[in-house]
Amino acid sequence: MPLYEHVMISRQDLSTAQAEGLVEHFSTVLADNGGSVVDSEYWGVKTMAYKINKNRKGHYAFLRTDAPSDAVQEMERLARLHDDVMRVLTVKVDAHEEGPSVQMQKRDERDSRRERR
């Protein structure tokens, strides 16, 4: 099955438990349609570059999935209809990276940055 990575932004006035509940909800949608969630991360509340629906901040969540395209399309459709979800970005990848995502790594652990003069 194809591999995907999803980033979801939900409204800032939700609690952390509600934002993580959204991730679980969309994970069950994928599972019901024949897919599976390999890994999920909650990135926390972050400031956005521009306002979306009068919100300056949002709860960010990251999902790594292994699902057929029909399941991903159904998840995206339900996310667009959900009032608490502001944006969803889905990217098809060749392979999932091991370990935490770049957002969850400390600056010391990032090895691909070049030194500044």
Side-chain angles (χ1 to χ4, degrees), residues 6-113:
H6 313 275
V7 177
M8 280 195 286
I9 306 173
S10 55
R11 292 184 307 127
Q12 67 183 358
D13 56 347
L14 296 176
S15 67
T16 304
Q18 289 173 324
E20 291 175 350
L22 282 174
V23 172
E24 293 174 9
H25 170 70
F26 290 115
S27 299
T28 57
V29 169
L30 285 172
D32 291 344
N33 290 307
S36 65
V37 175
V38 177
D39 187 25
S40 66
E41 294 177 357
Y42 174 70
W43 290 348
V45 178
K46 296 190 176 288
T47 304
M48 296 182 281
Y50 55 90
K51 286 184 180 180
I52 300 175
N53 299 335
K54 299 182 182 177
N55 291 305
R56 286 211 178 270
K57 294 183 178 185
H59 290 273
Y60 281 71
F62 178 70
L63 295 168
R64 290 184 177 128
T65 62
D66 184 9
S69 63
D70 295 338
V72 172
Q73 288 174 355
E74 179 66 14
M75 185 202 73
E76 287 180 339
R77 184 185 75 82
L78 292 174
R80 283 193 304 269
L81 294 174
H82 205 283
D83 292 335
D84 293 334
V85 177
M86 294 189 295
R87 292 282 191 273
V88 176
L89 172 70
T90 301
V91 178
K92 186 175 181 181
V93 294
D94 294 330
H96 291 303
E97 294 182 12
E98 294 295 322
S101 64
V102 175
Q103 286 287 341
M104 298 300 287
Q105 292 176 0
K106 295 180 182 176
R107 285 191 180 239
D108 304 343
E109 296 173 2
R110 296 183 196 159
D111 56 357
S112 62
R113 294 187 65 172

